[in-house]
Amino acid sequence: MKISILDDYHDTLRTLQCYKKLAGDEITIWNDHVQEVDELAQRLQDAEALVLIRERTEIRRPLLQRLNKLRLISQRSVYPHIDVDACTEFGVIVSSSQHAGTPSYAAAELTWGLVLAAMRQLPQQMAALKAGKWQIGVGNDLRGKTLGIYGYGRIGSVVAGYGKAFGMNILVWAREGSLERARAEGYTAARSKQEFFSESDVLSLHMRLVAATRNIVTRQDLARMKPTALLVNTSRAGLIEPGALLAALKAGRPGFAAVDVYEEEPIRDINYPLFAMENVVCTPHIGYVTRDEYEIQFSDIFDQIVAYAAGTPINVVNPQVLKSPNLRR
């Protein structure tokens, strides 16, 4: 098959062990990020299968209707960046493994790294040291403080375990089914969303971005946080009401933030407001960007291409297309 891979920034995929699964296919890898429809249509005009790296590029109707040879989109996890209805209309299969029961330990580990970095002012202390200054402030401990986990799923439960290992008190807010799992595993469920935001010393978001969770964290929620509290977001920027985090930090509640995700990515504006704030630690959406995690994710993604080529597509999120007269073969 003719396969195109988008947004492989560091040309990493061809170095993975799982890349061998595509031996014999004609593969084109793009290392830069492009969102303009005209250029994407030109790049992908011969592609029969398209590999996406998470949600880096949006695949919408204006593009899909120009990709006449495209038969399969293969990726992993959620797909808010793909117009699945348009894919179905044009006869394109979307395969996306939801990896049930397999948390991204890489994302959980980065979350904890950000917690430590923000609470101990590590980026600021390191920059000051390199500038010839010795100790620029006093950090904060984690032991004995309350770690709020918003969304007790695969990653949230792992982060809760890290917090417990550091001697923190764990407070959870989530859907009722998730709260029941948290209670069963020995954690405390907040009595209300209001209590959750007001009591957490460190509050970490761990939800998928779907219609029900978009803007689920409001300005009012953030205003309830302590002026000493830290908000951590390694999930999706869209979980927070647009502009709310910047306004809340300026107002002093919460007092600190650590973020790995942004409303528009990639960000190359050195004047991006959060970057200029001394009480914010920022990383460039690297929660899942590790070699080990890539091996796991792209093994699934490439398996989906192999299955399609064998005539038995798997993890199909638009199964109705399989019976459609428009299905491309």
Side-chain angles (χ1 to χ4, degrees), residues 93-304:
I93 293 172
V94 180
S95 286
S96 187
S97 169
Q98 299 304 302
H99 50 96
T102 307
S104 171
Y105 290 104
E109 289 174 5
L110 179 77
T111 299
W112 204 249
L114 288 176
V115 170
L116 291 170
M119 294 294 281
R120 297 302 297 270
Q121 303 176 329
L122 297 185
Q124 298 92 329
Q125 296 281 7
M126 292 166 65
L129 184 61
K130 291 180 179 180
K133 300 177 183 178
W134 185 259
Q135 295 187 8
I136 60 168
V138 179
N140 293 283
D141 290 350
L142 293 174
R143 180 168 294 277
K145 291 186 171 63
T146 296
L147 171 63
I149 302 291
Y150 197 167
Y152 193 78
R154 288 171 293 198
I155 298 176
S157 61
V158 173
V159 174
Y162 295 164
K164 182 178 180 180
F166 272 72
M168 300 187 75
N169 304 309
I170 311 303
L171 187 66
V172 180
W173 187 248
R175 295 176 299 177
E176 186 54 41
S178 297
L179 289 178
E180 290 180 4
R181 288 197 304 275
R183 294 187 190 102
E185 293 176 13
Y187 298 126
T188 300
R191 290 172 293 185
S192 67
K193 187 181 183 184
Q194 292 80 3
E195 179 190 65
F196 176 73
F197 275 87
S198 64
E199 293 298 318
S200 295
D201 295 300
V202 177
L203 194 157
S204 192
L205 306 181
H206 296 288
M207 290 169 283
R208 289 183 168 185
L209 182 60
V210 296
T213 61
R214 184 174 293 278
N215 302 336
I216 198 169
V217 177
T218 67
R219 294 173 185 264
Q220 291 76 20
D221 293 329
L222 297 177
R224 292 188 177 95
M225 295 184 71
K226 302 174 183 178
T228 56
L230 166 68
L231 178 82
V232 184
N233 189 4
T234 57
S235 294
R236 293 295 181 272
L239 297 172
I240 303 175
E241 182 183 340
L245 180 57
L246 180 60
L249 289 166
K250 288 181 177 178
R253 289 178 180 266
F256 306 90
V259 297
D260 186 49
V261 290
Y262 308 88
E263 294 173 7
E264 292 185 11
E265 299 178 4
I267 298 174
R268 295 190 174 91
D269 180 6
I270 61 174
N271 296 313
Y272 187 75
L274 290 180
F275 297 168
M277 304 186 78
E278 283 297 315
N279 56 340
V280 182
V281 175
C282 295
T283 49
H285 203 159
I286 56 173
Y288 63 96
V289 184
T290 69
R291 183 167 295 276
D292 293 328
E293 183 70 14
Y294 268 31
E295 287 283 6
I296 294 169
Q297 292 196 13
F298 287 96
S299 183
D300 285 353
I301 291 170
F302 297 157
D303 281 344
Q304 290 168 171

Side-chain angles (χ1 to χ4, degrees), residues 5-9 30-44 50 52 55-59 63 265-266 268:
I5 300 175
L6 296 181
D7 298 301
D8 184 10
Y9 297 154
W30 300 94
N31 304 127
D32 58 341
H33 172 74
V34 170
Q35 188 57 70
E36 291 74 16
V37 171
D38 287 344
E39 186 163 354
L40 283 173
Q42 178 67 29
R43 290 185 174 192
L44 304 177
L50 177 60
L52 301 181
E55 298 139 56
R56 291 178 176 178
T57 296
E58 294 187 356
I59 308 296
L63 174 61
E265 299 178 4
R268 295 190 174 91

Side-chain angles (χ1 to χ4, degrees), residues 4-7 33-37 40-41 44 47 49-67 70 72-75 79-88 90 92-94 328:
S4 285
I5 300 175
L6 296 181
D7 298 301
H33 172 74
V34 170
Q35 188 57 70
E36 291 74 16
V37 171
L40 283 173
L44 304 177
L50 177 60
V51 170
L52 301 181
I53 298 183
R54 302 299 291 242
E55 298 139 56
R56 291 178 176 178
T57 296
E58 294 187 356
I59 308 296
R60 305 295 184 192
R61 176 179 293 272
L63 174 61
L64 288 163
Q65 64 188 7
R66 296 173 61 176
L67 303 181
L70 185 63
L72 171 71
I73 296 175
S74 186
Q75 65 139 59
Y79 37 87
H81 54 301
I82 301 175
D83 188 337
V84 176
D85 290 338
C87 287
T88 302
F90 296 130
V92 177
I93 293 172
V94 180
R328 296 175 182 173

